[in-house]
Amino acid sequence: VVNLAEKEMDNPTFRSDTVLSDVHLHCPSKRHLMVRLNAVGQPVFLSHFKLLWSTADLASGKHMREITTGREHQCRSGDELCDTDRSDVKKEGELNSEGVEALLDDDGDLEVVRRPRSASDLQAEDLLRDIVCPVILMKGKEDAFEDEDQECTCSDVVKIEHTMATPLEDVGKQVWRAAFLLADYILFKRDTFRCCSVLELGGGTGITSIIMGTVAKRVYCTDVGEDLLAMCEQNVALNKHLMESGGGEIKVKELDWLKDEFCTDPEAPYSWSEEEIADLLDHCSVIMAADVFYDDDLTDAFFRTLYRVTHNLRNSCTVYLALEKRLNFTLRHMDVTCEAYSHFRNTLNDLENLQDGKMKYTVEPIKLDFCQFLVYERIEQL
């Protein structure tokens, strides 16, 4: 848990059972301001995430401007690969054709040839690896983001309230890389999602639903926990201006994977009305989820919910799943393993092989050669 003593904030300490996403440590915001404590006493931070293509550009169909994000992208619209991606693929092919022998020295040891660092590499590293310590928003400093606001327009920044370190059961309150990856794909294939009705399972802070809301007609952003859903609803309100041009609507709703029915109790916050359930089942054509596969029991519950929802949809739909393959050393195996990822793949295979005479699922991988529209580290484990 973060130590809230003011003098300790530059060097926060965490318990061994704390889960920490490092997304906020490497994004280009100058400061991450703690704006409040949530209902369970966790510090809530407000961060600005830079869009490399403003929503005004998206609406007009303009080409993405040239940017540097770890590597220089010369991006084009449509399905074309970036030029640097094409050259990278070619270089990899050349390396494989030459064989491993070319990398060995006279003694047979592996000789690693390192590429010289250019000025652009240094600039990219400054952009992506600049670790920033959180700063408490003190009384009288409500304008602490004023400088940042002057540097960027409202149409090219996503404002997200989130926590920085939580117990495992509250990881939905943090921001994770796979949410950015899925958001990138949505912006890259925006015509595919235009005017769609969308369901997000495990929406967390809501950042992916917010990006989807810039192109889709209606997004049902779902998760569980009143405190988390309140944070998500606040983030939707903070970014309402991004969705105005496209006329998109985001509804924050409770959907518990451990229960068999939608919550329809009118006294419960974030419950569903009968009209909303009917709208979802009649019109939903896209379901999405990002970084929700970290616990085997929850993974099983996710796929049960996915089957139940898709079984009741009037039309067929496409499901987009994004995740980060996390490597962990376990004493049980005495080796580096990816147990959560392995369980996810096994369960996904079971779904694809399902033969109940009613549903048919086809699984297809998506190549990660689409351009990057948000500043984050697109690591190879995504």
Side-chain angles (χ1 to χ4, degrees), residues 262-309:
F262 291 93
C263 176
T264 56
D265 181 1
E267 300 296 324
Y270 308 106
S271 62
W272 296 73
S273 68
E274 296 296 337
E275 292 77 11
E276 289 168 336
I277 296 175
D279 175 66
L280 174 72
L281 299 181
D282 287 344
H283 301 107
C284 180
S285 59
V286 173
I287 298 176
M288 61 181 184
D291 240 332
V292 299
F293 307 106
Y294 54 89
D295 176 88
D296 290 356
D297 292 336
L298 286 179
T299 296
D300 294 339
F302 170 87
F303 279 103
R304 286 195 300 269
T305 300
L306 181 63
Y307 175 81
R308 185 174 71 252
V309 171

Side-chain angles (χ1 to χ4, degrees), residues 55-56 58-59 193-196 212-218 240-249:
T55 52
L58 292 176
F193 304 106
R194 200 175 302 280
C195 300
C196 286
M212 179 64 85
T214 64
V215 292
K217 176 182 179 181
R218 181 171 295 114
K240 189 175 181 180
H241 60 282
L242 297 177
M243 294 160 273
E244 289 177 349
S245 59
E249 177 187 22

